[in-house]
Amino acid sequence: MATPICFIIWVLFITDSVWTRSVRQVYEANDPEDWTMHDFDCPRECFCPPSFPTALYCENRGLKEIPAIPSRIWYLYLENNLIETIPEKPFENATLRWINLNKNKITNYGIEKGALSQLKKLLFLFLEDNELEEVPSPLPRSLEQLQLARNKVSRIPQGTFSNLENLTLLDLQHNKLLDNAFQRDTFKGLKNLMQLNMAKNALRNMPPRLPANTMQLFLDNNSIEGIPENYFNVIPKVAFLRLNHNKLSDAGLPSSGFNVSSILDLQLSHNRLTVPRISAHLQHLHLDHNKIKNVNVSVICPTSPTTLPAEQDSFSYGPHLRYLRLDGNEIKPPIPVDLMDCFRLLQAVII
């Protein structure tokens, strides 16, 4: 059965975007609360735009402490300061939905135990470019996005994610995660997680027991050598998989390779692969800078062209591959005719 066009368009839209199912909630214009009833006090260190009464801008001010947050504030911008601690007191009256604390000097020791978990309506928490050595905990159950890129995270305490069933995006890229950072139940509780980014760490193995709803998995720039048999069975919805700049070889792949029907975009650039087995549903394949000397069509073609009914539309039968990148290998043109016979929907081939 053909993949519905509307589904394809929607999937392609989220490929390079930050996934969130709750942006609508944050930007809800018709909130029943009447902001005109609030005292429009503004911390002297910050800026409170009259046209945006729920926002507090305190970025780039050399702040060392978080000011007291008025109860009317939903959006708090504190990035690029000198803040080292997150105490409870400034948030006593807060109703925050969004906190940006990127580019500060926050450590785990500087986060008071209940400072974040008391924010019962918080949806987005940005703590990128700080000094964190482990994922902070406890966090509010309401949280939908947690962004911790470019810290020093090497530990994920047990139970950190156990109550975060609303989390849809977890960004841990560019940290210091090793394989021993994960237990089999590390991700337990993340029932709605859709995007997991662990690129630029020090992993040698695929992370264990990922949440079943994961759709986007980014593991670029690690040292991953192989993928266990049936690994993708626990993440049957994964559509976007990035494993660029790893140490994958044919010996490390299961016999079925990446023949996973849910995967639409597969990026395997800068590894040690020849041609892996793929699914007929795959639409974008990046195999540049590998060890490919020739394209074995009998291996890469998920359906033999001779088995396709001649009178049928290619959109209904046969592989869906539209983009294939093979440059940086040892392949010499011309492109094999059999390749084009197999992938009748190809729009771009880079050799």
Side-chain angles (χ1 to χ4, degrees):
M1 182 176 182
T3 304
I5 296 299
C6 59
F7 173 75
I8 294 174
I9 293 172
W10 173 75
V11 168
L12 292 178
F13 173 74
I14 66 172
T15 305
D16 296 314
S17 65
V18 173
W19 173 264
T20 171
R21 64 180 176 86
S22 298
V23 171
R24 177 189 57 78
Q25 297 178 24
V26 181
Y27 290 96
E28 185 67 62
N30 298 317
D31 191 86
E33 194 163 358
D34 184 359
W35 296 110
T36 62
M37 300 299 293
H38 288 257
D39 179 13
F40 272 55
D41 57 322
C42 185
R44 59 183 178 83
E45 307 96 326
C46 308
F47 171 61
C48 301
S51 60
F52 196 4
T54 58
L56 183 60
Y57 292 90
C58 311
E59 71 273 33
N60 304 304
R61 283 167 166 77
L63 298 181
K64 294 184 178 181
E65 296 180 349
I66 298 174
I69 309 302
S71 61
R72 62 184 170 82
I73 298 301
W74 282 16
Y75 309 94
L76 176 60
Y77 298 88
L78 283 162
E79 64 268 30
N80 200 24
N81 280 293
L82 303 171
I83 297 169
E84 298 180 3
T85 61
I86 304 179
E88 282 191 56
K89 189 170 179 58
F91 301 121
E92 284 180 344
N93 300 312
T95 60
L96 290 165
R97 272 67 164 175
W98 171 300
I99 300 178
N100 190 330
L101 276 159
N102 292 344
K103 297 185 179 179
N104 278 281
K105 298 181 179 296
I106 297 166
T107 65
N108 289 95
Y109 299 107
I111 303 176
E112 196 170 347
K113 189 170 180 62
L116 296 172
S117 59
Q118 70 176 322
L119 299 171
K120 305 299 185 184
K121 297 183 178 181
L122 190 66
L123 301 176
F124 296 80
L125 178 58
F126 297 82
L127 282 165
E128 298 178 351
D129 297 286
N130 277 280
E131 303 292 329
L132 298 172
E133 295 182 358
E134 63 182 46
V135 177
S137 181
L139 294 167
R141 299 173 69 100
S142 56
L143 203 62
E144 295 190 357
Q145 284 197 18
L146 178 59
Q147 310 232 17
L148 299 171
R150 294 175 299 279
N151 276 274
K152 301 175 182 178
V153 175
S154 62
R155 298 185 301 275
I156 303 176
Q158 189 167 10
T160 296
F161 302 128
S162 59
N163 294 319
L164 299 184
E165 62 182 25
N166 293 309
L167 200 70
T168 59
L169 183 149
L170 175 59
D171 190 345
L172 287 164
Q173 67 174 306
H174 213 303
N175 277 283
K176 297 186 176 183
L177 292 170
L178 298 168
D179 294 329
N180 61 12
F182 306 105
Q183 306 298 320
R184 284 188 62 82
D185 62 349
T186 293
F187 298 104
K188 186 178 181 180
L190 297 178
K191 297 178 181 179
N192 289 297
L193 192 74
M194 295 185 181
Q195 185 184 104
L196 178 58
N197 191 340
M198 289 189 290
K200 295 187 178 180
N201 279 279
L203 304 178
R204 297 186 65 182
N205 297 293
M206 299 291 284
R209 299 296 298 180
L210 296 182
N213 284 318
T214 304
M215 291 182 64
Q216 301 182 42
L217 178 59
F218 304 146
L219 291 165
D220 313 81
N221 294 92
N222 279 281
S223 298
I224 296 172
E225 299 175 350
I227 297 175
E229 190 80 39
N230 301 320
Y231 179 82
F232 298 105
N233 288 359
V234 298
I235 47 174
K237 297 181 182 180
V238 63
F240 304 94
L241 179 60
R242 291 202 326 225
L243 281 159
N244 302 319
H245 293 276
N246 276 281
K247 296 181 179 180
L248 290 171
S249 65
D250 293 348
L253 296 185
S255 57
S256 58
F258 293 95
N259 189 5
V260 180
S261 61
S262 63
I263 298 178
L264 302 179
D265 189 294
L266 178 59
Q267 299 190 22
L268 299 168
S269 305
H270 295 272
N271 278 282
R272 303 168 181 174
L273 298 167
T274 57
V275 177
R277 295 188 181 278
I278 61 173
S279 163
H281 298 275
L282 190 66
Q283 296 181 18
H284 295 84
L285 177 59
H286 297 245
L287 281 170
D288 54 288
H289 300 89
N290 274 278
K291 301 293 183 181
I292 303 172
K293 295 183 178 180
N294 58 73
V295 180
N296 188 335
V297 177
S298 65
V299 173
I300 196 173
C301 184
T303 306
S304 173
T306 59
T307 65
L308 300 180
E311 70 279 5
Q312 296 294 341
D313 184 354
S314 294
F315 284 94
S316 301
Y317 290 87
H320 293 174
L321 195 68
R322 289 166 168 78
Y323 179 92
L324 176 60
R325 184 170 175 183
L326 293 165
D327 54 305
N329 286 285
E330 300 176 31
I331 304 169
K332 296 181 180 179
I335 301 170
V337 175
D338 290 351
L339 186 69
M340 306 308 295
D341 286 341
C342 173
F343 299 111
R344 299 179 183 183
L345 302 182
L346 263 179
Q347 298 173 358
V349 181
I350 303 174
I351 294 184

